[in-house]
Amino acid sequence: MSNRLIVSPSPHLRENTTTKTIMFDVAIALVPASIASIFFFKTPAAMILLISIISAVLAEYVVQKIRKQPITISDGSAFVTGQLLALNLPASVPLWIPVIGSVFAIVVVKQMFGGIGQNFMNPALAARIMLTISYTDRMTQWVEPGVDAVSTATPLTFASDFTSVQSGAPSFVDLAIGNIGGSMGETSAILLIIGGIYLIYRGVISVKIPGLFILTVAVATLLYSGFDIEYMLYHLLSGSLMIGAIYMATDYASSPVTPRGKIYFAVGCGLLTSVIRLFGAYAEGVGFAILLMNTTVPLIDRYTAPKVFGEVEKQNA
Amino acid sequence: MKVFSFKGGIHPPEFKEYTAHLEIEKAKDPKVVIIPLQQHIGAPAEAVVEVGDLVKVGQMIAKPGGFVSAAIHASVSGKISEIGMKPGTNGEILCAVIESDGKNEVDDSIQPRSDLSNLSKKEIVSEIEKAGIVGMGGASFPTHVKLSPPDDKKIDTVILNGAECEPFLTCDHRLMLEKPEEIIKGLELIMRGVGAEKGIIGIETNKPDALEVMFEKASNYKSIEVVGVETKYPQGAEKQLIQACLDRVVPSGGLPMDVGVVVNNVGTSYQVYESLSTGMPLIERVVTLSGSALAEPKNMSVKIGTSVNDLLEQCGGLKEEVRKVIMGGPMCGQAVSSTEIPIMKGSSGVLFFNEEDGDLPEASNCIRCASCIHVCPVYLQPLHISAYAEKNQFDIAERYRPMDCIECGSCSFVCPAKIQLLQGIKIAKNEVQKKKNK
């Protein structure tokens, strides 16, 4: 008996949470928004979701096979990247767009930098920006919800560059439930928030980053519009603020690990988003804001290291 | 009642239900005891007996090998059959083997003391030293050394640690229920020994019965207070307990005495009273035997030197194949390669894990979730220390202050990638220490 005993370092107890359960939780949190996108944009949305997820998982498998690395597709992170990318695309894009996006996200942004946990940018977001810059027309052909794919503007077009909401803008109810033009998954603020609450409840993310991100945008737009609450709400509920703040800015690998760092990061995301939306050439600034802040993470982490227990007292002594 | 706590920490499953309700049972007298000559932090004790000598219960068989050391006593009467290297918790260790004659004859030097009130401060500490008492919570630091702070360190408070935050372990819990009076009298002696005016007993709120009993007994003592502390691991860690009970922060690299505090385990306090009143040194302790592979988990009063195998037999043996045997609790305890090892002064528990509990999950890449930072009770960044240690970049690892780690294991516990973070930190600590010693 005794020669079969395992001798391992302490501790000998482990929590049940694994990388896989975390990724599974994120996928679950995105289910309501995914279903809504299929409900609003019908078959094309379903196809884009499917193709995007399959390409992401396949890309990870192939690249790890080629590099003779352990295959980690079962951890679910590639699945989530595919799902997240799909929700970032307009429903009108041809099906090769999600393929290119997923392969870029997984191969270039994630695996080339060392795989899970090592990517300095959120893969899905980086892919969205790459696609927007490379295929601007296709990536900005927003369609109205429904089968007919009538071209439309996104609600942000009615608020960005103005100091008040312009006439002809969709109602708040449509904004909240997602019955508007825009990327597949980013349109329904309420469903994205429900998913976010689930993630907070499960302990996958803390309210800190999304909360401060959204709050900063709220304050900035309020100040800019001279305390026009309607204008502020418009900014919060439209565009990719919710999906960005809840699902992309909270990406572990590309956000700070220190408690204080998370605060600076979130506020920075909010400020940059507001600046780009209000003063920039693009109507939407969430994606660029997060990517820019992603690049500052090593610096933020370095200067926000928590004070070690008893450190202050020692200096005073 | 106000509940006190600290920042960080984890909530592991408790697994205390196996043994929390079971009265302390006296273990059968062992036929042979294997007594390690180093059961404490510090210098090994030096044997004062030879093979063939006849010894009696309570007789000193090894004297302290220095100031930071502790005497070792015979736990049975009989003949020294061997003095040599034997397997222990941390590999082979010098042991004295005594074959019991079954008579348990007590040594003449053991004299009960009816009146403890006239003992001086100095006498209390020297009696504790003579009894070979060490910290019984697991760290095994010689108690008389703890109670002899340098003159410039004034101790105003003694905290008794009744948190017992390690899962599975219930030996302190049972002791508080069954011997509350003795624990409090022991605390009084310790307070007199260091000249402290105040005594605090911190107990986790998951033991309401112990809190109630101790609270009631302590109400007769003006200077002793019982406080409930949050059920959270590592509540029983010295610095965290001080923060919870007194809101004092022990400086980085410092000791509790730097903030005027001495912390002792409730088991140690009980032993102080027992040894000083009966004259019998530390030769027996309460051990929790538990775990998924054990047939009948128990709390047992066990003579030092009894082999784990002897106890296993008395707990009905194994009900499942055992995969891992742990000396101590599951968070800080030591996995051992054999059950042919003796119970020591610091052995609070022996756990027998089945295959499911014993196997460790495979580690994968760090996903930077920051859970380890979130739970670290000393606010370190375990992910960085461990990653740099793994790359042998100890100079960079050192910047993240591994020496402040209290080795509670909370980081490894929460890590979703199942990385052995604590092990990485321990390696970094070791290297930093080596560099310092150069």
Side-chain angles (χ1 to χ4, degrees), chain A residues 72-102:
Chain A
T72 59
I73 52 170
S74 64
D75 69 18
S77 61
F79 183 99
V80 167
T81 297
Q83 193 180 10
L84 208 47
L85 175 67
L87 296 178
N88 267 289
L89 300 174
S92 60
V93 292
L95 290 180
W96 52 266
I97 286 270
V99 176
I100 291 186
S102 284

PDB file of all heavy atoms in Angstrom, chain A residues 72-102:
ATOM      1  N   THR A  72      -5.692  22.335 -26.761  1.00  0.00           N
ATOM      2  CA  THR A  72      -6.453  22.852 -25.613  1.00  0.00           C
ATOM      3  C   THR A  72      -7.843  23.328 -26.007  1.00  0.00           C
ATOM      4  O   THR A  72      -8.437  24.135 -25.308  1.00  0.00           O
ATOM      5  CB  THR A  72      -5.701  24.028 -24.951  1.00  0.00           C
ATOM      6  OG1 THR A  72      -5.526  25.050 -25.926  1.00  0.00           O
ATOM      7  CG2 THR A  72      -4.363  23.603 -24.410  1.00  0.00           C
ATOM      8  N   ILE A  73      -8.369  22.824 -27.139  1.00  0.00           N
ATOM      9  CA  ILE A  73      -9.688  23.330 -27.546  1.00  0.00           C
ATOM     10  C   ILE A  73     -10.774  22.986 -26.536  1.00  0.00           C
ATOM     11  O   ILE A  73     -11.786  23.648 -26.470  1.00  0.00           O
ATOM     12  CB  ILE A  73     -10.104  22.809 -28.947  1.00  0.00           C
ATOM     13  CG1 ILE A  73      -9.984  21.295 -29.004  1.00  0.00           C
ATOM     14  CG2 ILE A  73      -9.265  23.435 -30.048  1.00  0.00           C
ATOM     15  CD1 ILE A  73     -10.604  20.713 -30.255  1.00  0.00           C
ATOM     16  N   SER A  74     -10.518  21.950 -25.707  1.00  0.00           N
ATOM     17  CA  SER A  74     -11.561  21.554 -24.754  1.00  0.00           C
ATOM     18  C   SER A  74     -11.694  22.553 -23.608  1.00  0.00           C
ATOM     19  O   SER A  74     -12.633  22.460 -22.824  1.00  0.00           O
ATOM     20  CB  SER A  74     -11.266  20.159 -24.202  1.00  0.00           C
ATOM     21  OG  SER A  74     -10.080  20.181 -23.464  1.00  0.00           O
ATOM     22  N   ASP A  75     -10.769  23.507 -23.479  1.00  0.00           N
ATOM     23  CA  ASP A  75     -10.939  24.479 -22.388  1.00  0.00           C
ATOM     24  C   ASP A  75     -12.031  25.504 -22.707  1.00  0.00           C
ATOM     25  O   ASP A  75     -12.413  26.303 -21.861  1.00  0.00           O
ATOM     26  CB  ASP A  75      -9.609  25.158 -22.005  1.00  0.00           C
ATOM     27  CG  ASP A  75      -9.080  26.089 -23.077  1.00  0.00           C
ATOM     28  OD1 ASP A  75      -9.843  26.496 -23.967  1.00  0.00           O
ATOM     29  OD2 ASP A  75      -7.877  26.412 -23.026  1.00  0.00           O
ATOM     30  N   GLY A  76     -12.526  25.497 -23.941  1.00  0.00           N
ATOM     31  CA  GLY A  76     -13.682  26.341 -24.271  1.00  0.00           C
ATOM     32  C   GLY A  76     -13.348  27.777 -24.628  1.00  0.00           C
ATOM     33  O   GLY A  76     -14.240  28.545 -24.990  1.00  0.00           O
ATOM     34  N   SER A  77     -12.088  28.166 -24.534  1.00  0.00           N
ATOM     35  CA  SER A  77     -11.778  29.573 -24.770  1.00  0.00           C
ATOM     36  C   SER A  77     -11.923  29.943 -26.248  1.00  0.00           C
ATOM     37  O   SER A  77     -12.360  31.039 -26.582  1.00  0.00           O
ATOM     38  CB  SER A  77     -10.377  29.909 -24.260  1.00  0.00           C
ATOM     39  OG  SER A  77      -9.404  29.150 -24.932  1.00  0.00           O
ATOM     40  N   ALA A  78     -11.574  29.017 -27.146  1.00  0.00           N
ATOM     41  CA  ALA A  78     -11.729  29.299 -28.576  1.00  0.00           C
ATOM     42  C   ALA A  78     -13.211  29.399 -28.934  1.00  0.00           C
ATOM     43  O   ALA A  78     -13.618  30.247 -29.730  1.00  0.00           O
ATOM     44  CB  ALA A  78     -11.053  28.208 -29.404  1.00  0.00           C
ATOM     45  N   PHE A  79     -14.001  28.560 -28.321  1.00  0.00           N
ATOM     46  CA  PHE A  79     -15.456  28.599 -28.530  1.00  0.00           C
ATOM     47  C   PHE A  79     -15.991  29.990 -28.189  1.00  0.00           C
ATOM     48  O   PHE A  79     -16.717  30.603 -28.963  1.00  0.00           O
ATOM     49  CB  PHE A  79     -16.115  27.534 -27.646  1.00  0.00           C
ATOM     50  CG  PHE A  79     -17.607  27.416 -27.819  1.00  0.00           C
ATOM     51  CD1 PHE A  79     -18.131  26.418 -28.618  1.00  0.00           C
ATOM     52  CD2 PHE A  79     -18.479  28.296 -27.189  1.00  0.00           C
ATOM     53  CE1 PHE A  79     -19.510  26.299 -28.790  1.00  0.00           C
ATOM     54  CE2 PHE A  79     -19.851  28.192 -27.353  1.00  0.00           C
ATOM     55  CZ  PHE A  79     -20.373  27.190 -28.152  1.00  0.00           C
ATOM     56  N   VAL A  80     -15.572  30.483 -27.016  1.00  0.00           N
ATOM     57  CA  VAL A  80     -16.055  31.790 -26.564  1.00  0.00           C
ATOM     58  C   VAL A  80     -15.589  32.895 -27.514  1.00  0.00           C
ATOM     59  O   VAL A  80     -16.356  33.808 -27.847  1.00  0.00           O
ATOM     60  CB  VAL A  80     -15.586  32.070 -25.118  1.00  0.00           C
ATOM     61  CG1 VAL A  80     -15.806  33.523 -24.751  1.00  0.00           C
ATOM     62  CG2 VAL A  80     -16.315  31.165 -24.146  1.00  0.00           C
ATOM     63  N   THR A  81     -14.343  32.802 -27.977  1.00  0.00           N
ATOM     64  CA  THR A  81     -13.840  33.809 -28.909  1.00  0.00           C
ATOM     65  C   THR A  81     -14.693  33.837 -30.180  1.00  0.00           C
ATOM     66  O   THR A  81     -15.070  34.911 -30.664  1.00  0.00           O
ATOM     67  CB  THR A  81     -12.366  33.509 -29.269  1.00  0.00           C
ATOM     68  OG1 THR A  81     -11.588  33.601 -28.079  1.00  0.00           O
ATOM     69  CG2 THR A  81     -11.833  34.491 -30.292  1.00  0.00           C
ATOM     70  N   GLY A  82     -15.025  32.651 -30.705  1.00  0.00           N
ATOM     71  CA  GLY A  82     -15.852  32.566 -31.901  1.00  0.00           C
ATOM     72  C   GLY A  82     -17.232  33.160 -31.677  1.00  0.00           C
ATOM     73  O   GLY A  82     -17.738  33.943 -32.495  1.00  0.00           O
ATOM     74  N   GLN A  83     -17.799  32.817 -30.521  1.00  0.00           N
ATOM     75  CA  GLN A  83     -19.138  33.307 -30.180  1.00  0.00           C
ATOM     76  C   GLN A  83     -19.146  34.836 -30.062  1.00  0.00           C
ATOM     77  O   GLN A  83     -20.007  35.515 -30.596  1.00  0.00           O
ATOM     78  CB  GLN A  83     -19.547  32.671 -28.849  1.00  0.00           C
ATOM     79  CG  GLN A  83     -21.006  32.803 -28.484  1.00  0.00           C
ATOM     80  CD  GLN A  83     -21.307  32.146 -27.147  1.00  0.00           C
ATOM     81  OE1 GLN A  83     -20.388  31.759 -26.417  1.00  0.00           O
ATOM     82  NE2 GLN A  83     -22.576  32.017 -26.814  1.00  0.00           N
ATOM     83  N   LEU A  84     -18.123  35.336 -29.377  1.00  0.00           N
ATOM     84  CA  LEU A  84     -18.021  36.771 -29.132  1.00  0.00           C
ATOM     85  C   LEU A  84     -17.798  37.526 -30.444  1.00  0.00           C
ATOM     86  O   LEU A  84     -18.385  38.586 -30.674  1.00  0.00           O
ATOM     87  CB  LEU A  84     -16.857  37.016 -28.167  1.00  0.00           C
ATOM     88  CG  LEU A  84     -16.902  38.232 -27.248  1.00  0.00           C
ATOM     89  CD1 LEU A  84     -18.250  38.351 -26.571  1.00  0.00           C
ATOM     90  CD2 LEU A  84     -15.805  38.098 -26.198  1.00  0.00           C
ATOM     91  N   LEU A  85     -16.977  36.948 -31.310  1.00  0.00           N
ATOM     92  CA  LEU A  85     -16.714  37.609 -32.594  1.00  0.00           C
ATOM     93  C   LEU A  85     -18.003  37.696 -33.408  1.00  0.00           C
ATOM     94  O   LEU A  85     -18.334  38.753 -33.959  1.00  0.00           O
ATOM     95  CB  LEU A  85     -15.636  36.860 -33.383  1.00  0.00           C
ATOM     96  CG  LEU A  85     -15.392  37.431 -34.788  1.00  0.00           C
ATOM     97  CD1 LEU A  85     -14.783  38.831 -34.707  1.00  0.00           C
ATOM     98  CD2 LEU A  85     -14.509  36.524 -35.624  1.00  0.00           C
ATOM     99  N   ALA A  86     -18.745  36.592 -33.456  1.00  0.00           N
ATOM    100  CA  ALA A  86     -19.989  36.574 -34.232  1.00  0.00           C
ATOM    101  C   ALA A  86     -20.924  37.671 -33.767  1.00  0.00           C
ATOM    102  O   ALA A  86     -21.539  38.375 -34.568  1.00  0.00           O
ATOM    103  CB  ALA A  86     -20.660  35.211 -34.103  1.00  0.00           C
ATOM    104  N   LEU A  87     -21.020  37.835 -32.441  1.00  0.00           N
ATOM    105  CA  LEU A  87     -21.935  38.834 -31.899  1.00  0.00           C
ATOM    106  C   LEU A  87     -21.456  40.250 -32.206  1.00  0.00           C
ATOM    107  O   LEU A  87     -22.185  41.213 -32.031  1.00  0.00           O
ATOM    108  CB  LEU A  87     -22.099  38.633 -30.388  1.00  0.00           C
ATOM    109  CG  LEU A  87     -22.746  37.300 -29.992  1.00  0.00           C
ATOM    110  CD1 LEU A  87     -22.817  37.162 -28.483  1.00  0.00           C
ATOM    111  CD2 LEU A  87     -24.145  37.180 -30.590  1.00  0.00           C
ATOM    112  N   ASN A  88     -20.198  40.369 -32.657  1.00  0.00           N
ATOM    113  CA  ASN A  88     -19.642  41.667 -32.993  1.00  0.00           C
ATOM    114  C   ASN A  88     -19.787  42.001 -34.472  1.00  0.00           C
ATOM    115  O   ASN A  88     -19.298  43.027 -34.920  1.00  0.00           O
ATOM    116  CB  ASN A  88     -18.158  41.704 -32.629  1.00  0.00           C
ATOM    117  CG  ASN A  88     -17.940  42.259 -31.237  1.00  0.00           C
ATOM    118  OD1 ASN A  88     -18.119  43.446 -31.004  1.00  0.00           O
ATOM    119  ND2 ASN A  88     -17.591  41.393 -30.298  1.00  0.00           N
ATOM    120  N   LEU A  89     -20.393  41.090 -35.233  1.00  0.00           N
ATOM    121  CA  LEU A  89     -20.492  41.304 -36.678  1.00  0.00           C
ATOM    122  C   LEU A  89     -21.907  41.732 -37.058  1.00  0.00           C
ATOM    123  O   LEU A  89     -22.877  41.322 -36.414  1.00  0.00           O
ATOM    124  CB  LEU A  89     -20.135  40.004 -37.419  1.00  0.00           C
ATOM    125  CG  LEU A  89     -18.735  39.448 -37.167  1.00  0.00           C
ATOM    126  CD1 LEU A  89     -18.589  38.096 -37.850  1.00  0.00           C
ATOM    127  CD2 LEU A  89     -17.670  40.411 -37.639  1.00  0.00           C
ATOM    128  N   PRO A  90     -22.058  42.534 -38.144  1.00  0.00           N
ATOM    129  CA  PRO A  90     -23.395  42.808 -38.666  1.00  0.00           C
ATOM    130  C   PRO A  90     -23.949  41.530 -39.277  1.00  0.00           C
ATOM    131  O   PRO A  90     -23.175  40.709 -39.794  1.00  0.00           O
ATOM    132  CB  PRO A  90     -23.155  43.849 -39.766  1.00  0.00           C
ATOM    133  CG  PRO A  90     -21.741  44.272 -39.645  1.00  0.00           C
ATOM    134  CD  PRO A  90     -20.998  43.203 -38.923  1.00  0.00           C
ATOM    135  N   ALA A  91     -25.256  41.366 -39.241  1.00  0.00           N
ATOM    136  CA  ALA A  91     -25.856  40.127 -39.737  1.00  0.00           C
ATOM    137  C   ALA A  91     -25.758  40.008 -41.258  1.00  0.00           C
ATOM    138  O   ALA A  91     -26.002  38.953 -41.826  1.00  0.00           O
ATOM    139  CB  ALA A  91     -27.313  40.046 -39.292  1.00  0.00           C
ATOM    140  N   SER A  92     -25.367  41.074 -41.900  1.00  0.00           N
ATOM    141  CA  SER A  92     -25.362  41.055 -43.362  1.00  0.00           C
ATOM    142  C   SER A  92     -24.042  40.581 -43.966  1.00  0.00           C
ATOM    143  O   SER A  92     -23.930  40.439 -45.175  1.00  0.00           O
ATOM    144  CB  SER A  92     -25.651  42.464 -43.876  1.00  0.00           C
ATOM    145  OG  SER A  92     -24.639  43.339 -43.404  1.00  0.00           O
ATOM    146  N   VAL A  93     -23.035  40.320 -43.137  1.00  0.00           N
ATOM    147  CA  VAL A  93     -21.721  40.001 -43.710  1.00  0.00           C
ATOM    148  C   VAL A  93     -21.741  38.639 -44.397  1.00  0.00           C
ATOM    149  O   VAL A  93     -22.453  37.726 -43.976  1.00  0.00           O
ATOM    150  CB  VAL A  93     -20.594  39.996 -42.636  1.00  0.00           C
ATOM    151  CG1 VAL A  93     -20.348  41.390 -42.115  1.00  0.00           C
ATOM    152  CG2 VAL A  93     -20.898  39.015 -41.527  1.00  0.00           C
ATOM    153  N   PRO A  94     -20.974  38.500 -45.486  1.00  0.00           N
ATOM    154  CA  PRO A  94     -20.847  37.191 -46.108  1.00  0.00           C
ATOM    155  C   PRO A  94     -20.148  36.232 -45.157  1.00  0.00           C
ATOM    156  O   PRO A  94     -19.394  36.664 -44.266  1.00  0.00           O
ATOM    157  CB  PRO A  94     -19.990  37.465 -47.344  1.00  0.00           C
ATOM    158  CG  PRO A  94     -19.312  38.761 -47.078  1.00  0.00           C
ATOM    159  CD  PRO A  94     -20.200  39.547 -46.174  1.00  0.00           C
ATOM    160  N   LEU A  95     -20.329  34.924 -45.347  1.00  0.00           N
ATOM    161  CA  LEU A  95     -19.859  33.956 -44.358  1.00  0.00           C
ATOM    162  C   LEU A  95     -18.337  33.813 -44.304  1.00  0.00           C
ATOM    163  O   LEU A  95     -17.799  33.227 -43.366  1.00  0.00           O
ATOM    164  CB  LEU A  95     -20.515  32.592 -44.614  1.00  0.00           C
ATOM    165  CG  LEU A  95     -22.015  32.560 -44.296  1.00  0.00           C
ATOM    166  CD1 LEU A  95     -22.600  31.187 -44.583  1.00  0.00           C
ATOM    167  CD2 LEU A  95     -22.285  32.964 -42.850  1.00  0.00           C
ATOM    168  N   TRP A  96     -17.622  34.349 -45.285  1.00  0.00           N
ATOM    169  CA  TRP A  96     -16.160  34.248 -45.179  1.00  0.00           C
ATOM    170  C   TRP A  96     -15.590  35.263 -44.207  1.00  0.00           C
ATOM    171  O   TRP A  96     -14.472  35.140 -43.737  1.00  0.00           O
ATOM    172  CB  TRP A  96     -15.472  34.349 -46.544  1.00  0.00           C
ATOM    173  CG  TRP A  96     -15.873  35.549 -47.380  1.00  0.00           C
ATOM    174  CD1 TRP A  96     -16.842  35.582 -48.324  1.00  0.00           C
ATOM    175  CD2 TRP A  96     -15.301  36.864 -47.330  1.00  0.00           C
ATOM    176  NE1 TRP A  96     -16.935  36.827 -48.884  1.00  0.00           N
ATOM    177  CE2 TRP A  96     -15.998  37.639 -48.289  1.00  0.00           C
ATOM    178  CE3 TRP A  96     -14.293  37.467 -46.577  1.00  0.00           C
ATOM    179  CZ2 TRP A  96     -15.707  38.982 -48.517  1.00  0.00           C
ATOM    180  CZ3 TRP A  96     -13.995  38.806 -46.799  1.00  0.00           C
ATOM    181  CH2 TRP A  96     -14.696  39.556 -47.754  1.00  0.00           C
ATOM    182  N   ILE A  97     -16.386  36.272 -43.899  1.00  0.00           N
ATOM    183  CA  ILE A  97     -15.927  37.277 -42.925  1.00  0.00           C
ATOM    184  C   ILE A  97     -15.684  36.659 -41.536  1.00  0.00           C
ATOM    185  O   ILE A  97     -14.601  36.811 -40.972  1.00  0.00           O
ATOM    186  CB  ILE A  97     -16.917  38.464 -42.859  1.00  0.00           C
ATOM    187  CG1 ILE A  97     -16.774  39.333 -44.113  1.00  0.00           C
ATOM    188  CG2 ILE A  97     -16.737  39.277 -41.595  1.00  0.00           C
ATOM    189  CD1 ILE A  97     -15.771  40.460 -44.029  1.00  0.00           C
ATOM    190  N   PRO A  98     -16.656  35.932 -40.974  1.00  0.00           N
ATOM    191  CA  PRO A  98     -16.380  35.301 -39.672  1.00  0.00           C
ATOM    192  C   PRO A  98     -15.220  34.306 -39.729  1.00  0.00           C
ATOM    193  O   PRO A  98     -14.500  34.150 -38.742  1.00  0.00           O
ATOM    194  CB  PRO A  98     -17.694  34.606 -39.307  1.00  0.00           C
ATOM    195  CG  PRO A  98     -18.526  34.615 -40.527  1.00  0.00           C
ATOM    196  CD  PRO A  98     -18.076  35.790 -41.342  1.00  0.00           C
ATOM    197  N   VAL A  99     -15.031  33.650 -40.878  1.00  0.00           N
ATOM    198  CA  VAL A  99     -13.918  32.698 -40.982  1.00  0.00           C
ATOM    199  C   VAL A  99     -12.590  33.449 -40.848  1.00  0.00           C
ATOM    200  O   VAL A  99     -11.736  33.094 -40.032  1.00  0.00           O
ATOM    201  CB  VAL A  99     -13.971  31.924 -42.326  1.00  0.00           C
ATOM    202  CG1 VAL A  99     -12.746  31.027 -42.452  1.00  0.00           C
ATOM    203  CG2 VAL A  99     -15.250  31.112 -42.413  1.00  0.00           C
ATOM    204  N   ILE A 100     -12.447  34.508 -41.634  1.00  0.00           N
ATOM    205  CA  ILE A 100     -11.206  35.287 -41.565  1.00  0.00           C
ATOM    206  C   ILE A 100     -11.008  35.858 -40.165  1.00  0.00           C
ATOM    207  O   ILE A 100      -9.925  35.809 -39.584  1.00  0.00           O
ATOM    208  CB  ILE A 100     -11.240  36.421 -42.608  1.00  0.00           C
ATOM    209  CG1 ILE A 100     -11.160  35.818 -44.010  1.00  0.00           C
ATOM    210  CG2 ILE A 100     -10.101  37.407 -42.371  1.00  0.00           C
ATOM    211  CD1 ILE A 100     -11.038  36.846 -45.100  1.00  0.00           C
ATOM    212  N   GLY A 101     -12.095  36.379 -39.620  1.00  0.00           N
ATOM    213  CA  GLY A 101     -12.013  36.987 -38.291  1.00  0.00           C
ATOM    214  C   GLY A 101     -11.583  35.988 -37.229  1.00  0.00           C
ATOM    215  O   GLY A 101     -10.680  36.248 -36.436  1.00  0.00           O
ATOM    216  N   SER A 102     -12.198  34.809 -37.227  1.00  0.00           N
ATOM    217  CA  SER A 102     -11.880  33.812 -36.210  1.00  0.00           C
ATOM    218  C   SER A 102     -10.443  33.324 -36.340  1.00  0.00           C
ATOM    219  O   SER A 102      -9.731  33.174 -35.341  1.00  0.00           O
ATOM    220  CB  SER A 102     -12.824  32.614 -36.335  1.00  0.00           C
ATOM    221  OG  SER A 102     -14.081  32.939 -35.819  1.00  0.00           O
TER     222      SER A 102
END
